[in-house]
Amino acid sequence: MPDLWTDLLGCLDIVETSTDNGGTAEFEGRNQQLDYHRVFGGQLLGQFLRIASLTCPDKVVKSQHAVFTREGRADEPVRYQALRAHEGRSFAAVTITATQSRGVIATATISMHAVEGGPERQDIEDAGPVLGPEYEIPLDLIPWETRAAVDLNVATTGPPQFEFWMRTPAVDPELAQALAAYATDLTLIGTALRPIDGADQRGNGTTFTSAVTSHTVWFHRPFRTDGWLLLRQHSPALAHGRSFGRGDVLTEDGVLVASYGQEALLRFADAQ
């Protein structure tokens, strides 16, 4: 089995299998080789973004909204159909459907934009210094450096907030959006669980059942992932068997480069 980093990069090497003159193209992406039967949603987010970039190569993604409709099987490749719904001089819109033999497993609506100049501003809390190596905490499925002051795998209560620093190995900056989106899918459910006594993100399938239902990422500025990035997130709501979380991605210098939000099923075994 290849190491997780090499395996993930291979999953982002998308193959176009057919195209037509009506703005529709078909692609295929292989799955990560994990000891797990389901396709990780972060993989689909990354593959959606790579397909959009291949479909409209002269524009950059400014936002992606993905809906996960059913569990994807890890033992079957994912087939994608991308429809270029609009492409003008400044903006483009791409709709992508991911399918397996059982039907649609996810869809994405991706908005793209030609790079423009203009004034810039932001209003956000500073990133603060990068945590030292003594704060290194491995995060499952993330095959690069991660540092955090809180361990989501420990069942200690706290506010529904979490942040971690991450840095990938040297990599083509064209993969930055896909790699960052991949990382944003992993820890929002764990963040929502922090205030609940005796619960942590390892309890899926025992203490609770969870599954991401939708995930949105907005990209504000270009960035690289092989420099330090801070993912700062907060879960403001947990109700009716659903959690909601949102976050920001900042560079080491405190520049806001992306934001994200996620809704997930979060159903507890003892709920009435």
Side-chain angles (χ1 to χ4, degrees), residues 152-201:
L152 293 179
N153 287 334
V154 176
T156 55
T157 59
Q161 300 168 359
F162 178 66
E163 62 180 40
F164 68 95
W165 288 95
M166 74 174 207
R167 180 175 62 179
T168 71
V171 69
D172 190 332
E174 289 188 359
L175 297 179
Q177 289 188 337
L179 292 169
Y182 176 93
T184 65
D185 189 50
L186 188 63
T187 54
L188 279 167
I189 293 174
T191 301
L193 289 167
R194 287 200 68 210
I196 299 175
D197 188 32
D200 66 73
Q201 62 182 3

Side-chain angles (χ1 to χ4, degrees), residues 43 95 181:
Q43 172 201 305
T95 301

Side-chain angles (χ1 to χ4, degrees), residues 250-269:
L250 297 93
T251 66
E252 183 177 357
D253 295 331
V255 177
L256 178 65
V257 295
S259 301
Y260 53 101
Q262 181 186 92
E263 185 183 64
L265 166 73
L266 188 49
R267 182 181 295 143
F268 287 83

Side-chain angles (χ1 to χ4, degrees), residues 52-130:
S53 296
L54 292 171
T55 303
C56 298
D58 60 337
K59 294 180 176 63
V60 297
V61 174
K62 68 181 186 70
S63 66
Q64 170 184 242
H65 178 66
V67 175
F68 301 104
T69 53
R70 64 161 54 88
E71 177 181 295
R73 293 183 55 87
D75 59 358
E76 180 183 349
V78 181
R79 293 171 295 281
Y80 294 93
Q81 184 177 76
L83 172 64
R84 191 186 300 109
H86 167 74
E87 185 170 17
R89 287 180 296 178
S90 297
F91 293 93
V94 181
T95 301
I96 306 174
T97 303
T99 62
Q100 290 184 324
S101 58
R102 295 192 302 157
V104 175
I105 62 171
T107 61
T109 302
I110 297 178
S111 182
M112 308 183 73
H113 186 205
V115 177
E116 296 186 28
E120 293 193 13
R121 55 160 294 277
Q122 67 179 47
D123 182 8
I124 194 167
E125 182 183 347
D126 291 341
V130 178

